[in-house]
Amino acid sequence: MIAVTRLVDRLRPAAIAFYRSFWFSTADTMRRWALAAIVVNVGITVTGAAVRLTGSGLGCPTWPKCTSDSFVPARVDTHAPVNMAIEFSNRLLTFLVLAVAAGCLLAAIRLGRSGQGRPVLIRLAALQPIGVVVQALWGGVVVHSVLNPVTVSVHFLLSMGMVAAAFTLYARSGEGDAPSQRLVHRDIRTLGFFLTAAVFVLLMVGVVVTGTGPHSGDQAASRFGFDIESVVRLHTDVVWIVVGMTFALLFSLHVTDSPGRARRGALVLLGVELLQGVIGYVQYFLAVPAFLVGLHVLGAALVWVATLRVVFLMRSRGPRPASPSPERVEPSAATV
């Protein structure tokens, strides 16, 4: 009993801090919730790839139930218990993503209690729970289509949309609401927009390669009917276009003496792209082992995040509203 009491005493400060992070949110805690949304959305994208790479895509052959008569894994002759456990575990992670999404929305709404209310943050935060619901429903489409590569591809791209929405929330919660002001030459910022579009095209071509390759998620799953060598070459061509545009962006930022944060952001993006390229070439020459494919999926998400970061670093909306003073927060806290 004493041990339990000590454990409760140790956990109480963390629990209080967690509660206050969304119910008595500040600009700092709002940003932390947005960062958490980025992490969990990238994370569930990678675990979703792991489901496919382990052949567990139909481990739960029905939706929303796992089997025809059970919401949790039950013994069936057509699927191994380990595959069912992997698929069901990924489904459970959806609730973690939903919890973080709800935290984002609550933090954005409660931010207004001290006069810091920002409707733009509420709208952006609302995209998180909405996106989780859409993704969950689309997951049902993926299962009922027997892992059709089109539905699987859309599932991944929706995740990238969720990541983009979460990163936008993260960026906007760290700045003000003044009109957007360029920090770099107009043409350089335009290049950043074209680079973002090129990276999204790269993601689209990447899912075509995945839908043509060997890791279907289940023996019953269909594949795209493209020639794998042709789509890999196309993917490689787009990769080199993206890398070239990134180098051009980095060079332009350097020669125009643009803000250091933008230059460092472009350098980080180039580094992530080159590392991702190394993983891609290695997995190709090693006949696409599952582990490296999963690492490549993580790399794709990180390239996307790094690209979005560069775009936001090339403009400013002024400083974010000042956090309320302790005197202003205390009366609200006392009502807990």
Side-chain angles (χ1 to χ4, degrees):
M1 186 65 182
I2 296 177
V4 173
T5 302
R6 289 178 178 175
L7 179 61
V8 171
D9 289 340
R10 291 179 181 178
L11 293 178
R12 183 180 291 115
I16 293 174
F18 173 75
Y19 167 71
R20 291 180 65 86
S21 70
F22 60 85
W23 199 249
F24 297 102
S25 62
T26 64
D28 288 331
T29 59
M30 177 72 254
R31 205 159 196 237
R32 292 191 197 108
W33 276 106
L35 179 60
I38 298 172
V39 172
V40 296
N41 277 291
V42 170
I44 200 169
T45 300
V46 176
T47 59
V51 170
R52 176 174 52 81
L53 294 169
T54 57
S56 307
L58 293 176
C60 287
T62 64
W63 188 94
K65 293 182 178 181
C66 185
T67 64
S68 59
D69 55 1
S70 175
F71 280 98
V72 299
R75 185 178 179 84
V76 293
D77 296 331
T78 55
H79 295 86
V82 64
N83 296 130
M84 298 188 75
I86 292 173
E87 163 63 4
F88 185 71
S89 297
N90 191 63
R91 290 190 182 189
L92 290 180
L93 284 178
T94 301
F95 293 99
L96 173 61
V97 181
L98 180 60
V100 173
C104 284
L105 183 56
L106 277 173
I109 293 173
R110 294 290 296 173
L111 193 62
R113 83 193 192 286
S114 58
Q116 287 186 292
R118 299 175 63 189
V120 63
L121 297 186
I122 297 176
R123 291 193 296 269
L124 288 171
L127 292 177
Q128 292 303 305
I130 292 173
V132 173
V133 173
V134 171
Q135 275 287 63
L137 294 175
W138 191 260
V141 174
V142 172
V143 172
H144 288 296
S145 69
V146 195
L147 306 184
N148 183 284
V150 173
T151 62
V152 174
S153 299
V154 172
H155 207 32
F156 173 81
L157 294 176
L158 285 174
S159 291
M160 293 300 97
M162 289 282 290
V163 171
F167 190 89
T168 303
L169 177 62
Y170 174 77
R172 294 291 284 114
S173 61
E175 59 186 13
D177 294 322
S180 179
Q181 180 178 3
R182 289 185 290 105
L183 300 177
V184 300
H185 190 276
R186 178 186 58 197
D187 294 340
I188 296 177
R189 194 175 179 209
T190 301
L191 175 60
F193 292 143
F194 276 105
L195 173 60
T196 304
V199 171
F200 189 75
V201 170
L202 178 60
L203 295 175
M204 294 177 64
V205 177
V207 297
V208 173
V209 175
T210 299
T212 308
H215 300 290
S216 62
D218 193 274
Q219 293 182 349
S222 59
R223 301 273 78 197
F224 285 126
F226 305 119
D227 175 65
I228 186 63
E229 294 289 341
S230 298
V231 292
V232 167
R233 290 194 194 97
L234 176 61
H235 182 64
T236 304
D237 291 341
V238 180
V239 166
W240 283 113
I241 291 173
V242 168
V243 171
M245 292 178 69
T246 303
F247 181 80
L249 178 65
L250 178 60
F251 182 77
S252 301
L253 291 170
H254 179 74
V255 298
T256 56
D257 197 26
S258 298
R261 291 200 308 163
R263 282 180 284 165
R264 289 191 295 271
L267 184 60
V268 169
L269 172 59
L270 182 62
V272 174
E273 289 172 353
L274 293 178
L275 182 59
Q276 173 76 333
V278 170
I279 296 172
Y281 275 108
V282 172
Q283 74 170 7
Y284 177 76
F285 288 112
L286 293 181
V288 289
F291 174 75
L292 287 181
V293 174
L295 201 59
H296 203 54
V297 171
L298 173 60
L302 294 180
V303 168
W304 181 233
V305 170
T307 303
L308 296 172
R309 179 170 178 262
V310 170
V311 172
F312 278 98
L313 288 175
M314 291 192 293
R315 64 101 177 95
S316 173
R317 285 183 176 270
R320 69 186 182 187
S323 298
S325 63
E327 291 76 12
R328 292 177 63 189
V329 175
E330 191 60 33
S332 297
T335 63
V336 178

